[in-house]
């Protein structure tokens, strides 16, 4: 399993368009081959956020990265939505859980 960690800082421009495109991408990634799950959070004061997406393999990540609709939104991210972003891709060697509930 691999994780794609997307760090970013939102600007305050185009909030409605951002929300629309974000919802579209969330649905689209769930349909992408090899997608497992994702989680996301953003600090409302600074606009800094992190999304961690999990994929079965590197080919699945490449397929998602090159999805034409995703490519269009990537460009919107650079021109309209973000002050900066960074992407990290890592292989997960091991996971474990603990739950006291």
């Amino acid at each position: 399993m691999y994780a794609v960690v997307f760090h970013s800082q939102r600007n305050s421009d185009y909030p409605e368009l951002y929300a629309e495109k974000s919802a579209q991408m969330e649905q689209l990634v769930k349909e992408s081959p090899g997608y497992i799950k994702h989680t996301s959070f953003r600090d409302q004061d600074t606009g800094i956020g992190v999304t961690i997406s999990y994929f079965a393999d590197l080919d699945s990540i490449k397929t998602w990265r090159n999805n034409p609709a995703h490519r269009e939104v990537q460009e919107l991210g650079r021109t309209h939505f973000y002050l900066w972003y960074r992407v990290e891709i890592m292989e997960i060697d091991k996971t474990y859980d603990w739950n006291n509930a």
Side-chain angles (χ1 to χ4, degrees), residues 6 21 24-25 28-29 32 59-82 85 87 89:
F6 179 74
K21 294 301 181 181
Q24 287 175 355
M25 291 303 101
L28 189 62
V29 72
S32 189
D59 285 337
S60 300
I61 294 168
K62 289 176 189 173
T63 297
W64 171 240
R65 181 192 67 210
N66 293 324
N67 177 293
H70 185 213
R71 282 287 196 198
E72 288 178 22
V73 173
Q74 289 172 30
E75 184 60 27
L76 283 174
R78 288 188 285 275
T79 60
H80 289 67
F81 301 147
Y82 299 115
Y85 67 83
V87 177
I89 299 172

Side-chain angles (χ1 to χ4, degrees), residues 5-29:
V5 183
F6 179 74
H7 306 261
S8 63
Q9 185 172 19
R10 276 278 289 130
N11 61 32
S12 59
D13 299 339
Y14 308 97
E16 295 86 10
L17 182 61
Y18 179 80
E20 173 190 332
K21 294 301 181 181
S22 181
Q24 287 175 355
M25 291 303 101
E26 183 168 359
Q27 184 58 42
L28 189 62
V29 72

Side-chain angles (χ1 to χ4, degrees), residues 3 16-17 19 22 26 31 34 37 39 41-42 44-46 53 58 66 73 75 78-79 91-92 94-95:
E16 295 86 10
L17 182 61
S22 181
E26 183 168 359
E31 300 167 1
K37 65 180 180 177
T39 188
F41 60 88
R42 185 168 305 282
Q44 295 304 311
D45 294 332
T46 65
S53 302
L58 289 172
N66 293 324
V73 173
E75 184 60 27
R78 288 188 285 275
T79 60
E91 185 173 13
I92 298 178
K94 178 175 144 179
T95 65

